[in-house]
Amino acid sequence: MKLLNKAIVVTLLLVVTGCSGDKSDGPIVIKFPHVTAPATPKGKAAERFRTMVAERLGGRVIIEVYPSSQLMNDDDSLDALAFGEIQMIAVSLSKFDRLTKKFQVFDLPFLFQDLNAVERFQASPEGLTLLSSMSDRGLLGLSYWHNGMKQFGGPVPMRSPDDAKGLKFRIMESDVLQEQILQIGGNPQKMAFGEVYQALQTGAVDAQENTWSNIYSSKFYEVQPYLTETNHGYLGYLVTVNPSFWGSLPEDIRLELETILAEVTTWANEQSALINGEGRDKILASGASEVVELGVEEIDLWRATMRPVWSKFERDIGSELIGAAQRSQPD
Ligand code: LMR
């Protein structure tokens, strides 16, 4: 069933059966599956949310966190949330591509200089408007969580875009990322996160892009002799609920959950750079993979080679959104 139809069906079911968050006969259970390891920025944030809810809502709400694609992959979780089978997700912003093109702004290569710039954009009126932009599809964004900036890994040091020519790159489910890889002469393959390690190990793909914390915790560095530090793009999450479910919660509970989530978000977004730095250090210490650092001119060449991606998606994303993101850069 198409996602929109599912969302309509689940809304009807919630109304007809009275199946809502307002259950007087037991705690409200919020199933929260995600795909990364527990020791990642998202894994730690989800776990902190779980423990703070247990402490502050005294058994009235139970958060069940399922890390490492244990319950389902991200693509399936988008459907499951809209259908009311699970109650919370924190899927990478790139993966909303099939629902709206607006979130593709986060995938534009070299748009954000650093996480502070991302944070300023997310807190801007344009960034905040995006949170509710998919409500009619059964998805309501509550908060943005950072992972970090992405790096390239592959069988060769990628000092220049020429080094990427002909390589098969695993990418997330995003048309902008697909175009980004085409611009550098690579062959993009959309693939679920849980399949990447094996695909690299067996040679089904040659290369990938991800953050230090994901590359470390999912052991991609063990099957990638070279990791090139490009910081060419942002990877972050939208903490998302089903608006029908969320609206059905008793008001005091909903408000407390939102307060806790805001506190967790502040904590998690302060931690993310640290966790990525630790991942990078541990990869270096392992000696399993070489970290290739680039000079300013080398980075400039990557930036210039990928820049045509912007104009290809400007109409879909909207120039006002891209403009707001650009205004969030440091002076
Ligand atoms: C990926 O698929 O590479 C990421 O979305 C994984 C994650 O959730 O950080």
Side-chain angles (χ1 to χ4, degrees):
M1 199 185 309
K2 286 261 187 314
L3 193 56
L4 181 58
N5 295 339
K6 278 188 167 185
I8 292 166
V9 169
V10 78
T11 306
L12 289 174
L13 278 175
L14 288 170
V15 171
V16 170
T17 63
C19 169
S20 72
D22 189 7
K23 288 184 184 146
S24 47
D25 54 344
I28 295 161
V29 176
I30 295 187
K31 286 191 204 287
F32 184 176
H34 68 87
V35 299
T36 61
T40 53
K42 178 163 57 182
K44 290 191 176 194
E47 184 54 20
R48 193 172 179 94
F49 182 62
R50 187 188 72 72
T51 53
M52 282 175 67
V53 169
E55 280 162 22
R56 303 238 298 249
L57 281 166
R60 292 174 76 198
V61 181
I62 296 174
I63 309 291
E64 292 180 357
V65 178
Y66 300 91
S68 309
S69 311
Q70 237 169 58
L71 199 60
M72 59 185 75
N73 68 28
D74 279 336
D75 229 22
D76 292 342
S77 78
L78 286 167
D79 289 340
L81 189 81
F83 203 47
E85 290 159 6
I86 55 172
Q87 289 72 36
M88 188 171 269
I89 56 174
V91 163
S92 156
L93 296 161
S94 314
K95 295 177 185 171
F96 292 97
D97 181 59
R98 65 183 160 108
L99 294 156
T100 169
K101 293 293 170 201
K102 299 245 173 270
F103 283 89
Q104 297 292 295
V105 69
F106 291 104
D107 279 343
L108 290 178
F110 291 104
L111 172 56
F112 296 104
Q113 201 164 306
D114 55 27
L115 295 184
N116 291 332
V118 176
E119 213 154 301
R120 275 192 293 274
F121 170 65
Q122 290 175 339
S124 72
E126 291 84 356
L128 293 173
T129 304
L130 283 179
L131 294 174
S132 52
S133 63
M134 297 177 293
S135 299
D136 59 343
R137 319 285 302 258
L139 301 167
L140 172 65
L142 298 180
S143 278
Y144 291 110
W145 284 353
H146 294 323
N147 185 324
M149 305 306 282
K150 290 180 292 181
Q151 324 299 339
F152 280 125
V156 292
M158 284 186 247
R159 299 212 77 96
S160 117
D162 263 357
D163 300 321
K165 281 213 167 83
L167 296 180
K168 265 186 277 169
F169 280 81
R170 178 271 168 170
I171 52 161
M172 292 183 275
E173 294 79 354
S174 150
D175 288 349
V176 170
L177 299 181
Q178 180 171 279
E179 186 58 35
Q180 169 195 274
I181 298 300
L182 291 173
Q183 287 296 327
I184 59 174
N187 173 3
Q189 314 269 319
K190 293 179 182 172
M191 184 182 289
F193 185 67
E195 294 166 24
V196 180
Y197 179 87
Q198 205 184 1
L200 289 166
Q201 193 182 36
T202 59
V205 295
D206 311 302
Q208 54 83 37
E209 53 161 19
N210 224 305
T211 61
W212 290 119
S213 64
N214 280 349
I215 293 170
Y216 175 69
S217 59
S218 289
K219 301 188 173 20
F220 298 164
Y221 69 101
E222 290 181 355
V223 284
Q224 298 266 268
Y226 297 97
L227 297 165
T228 305
E229 190 160 39
T230 44
N231 290 310
H232 61 278
Y234 170 71
L235 197 162
Y237 310 108
L238 188 67
V239 181
T240 311
V241 292
N242 182 317
S244 306
F245 167 72
W246 206 244
S248 75
L249 292 173
E251 197 181 5
D252 61 326
I253 289 189
R254 183 167 40 78
L255 292 178
E256 185 60 6
L257 286 172
E258 286 171 2
T259 303
I260 296 171
L261 185 61
E263 290 172 28
V264 170
T265 298
T266 304
W267 175 86
N269 286 351
E270 281 166 10
Q271 297 291 308
S272 61
L274 197 73
I275 300 168
N276 275 293
E278 283 168 5
R280 185 185 189 280
D281 290 346
K282 287 177 182 160
I283 291 169
L284 277 174
S286 78
S289 185
E290 190 178 316
V291 174
V292 181
E293 294 176 15
L294 302 180
V296 176
E297 284 175 14
E298 287 171 314
I299 290 284
D300 283 348
L301 183 57
W302 281 98
R303 183 183 290 111
T305 309
M306 291 177 168
R307 183 59 192 240
V309 177
W310 288 34
S311 49
K312 294 208 173 181
F313 288 88
E314 189 171 347
R315 189 177 308 162
D316 282 346
I317 295 169
S319 49
E320 65 299 333
L321 216 48
I322 299 176
Q326 283 177 303
R327 287 193 296 280
S328 310
Q329 304 305 319
D331 293 329

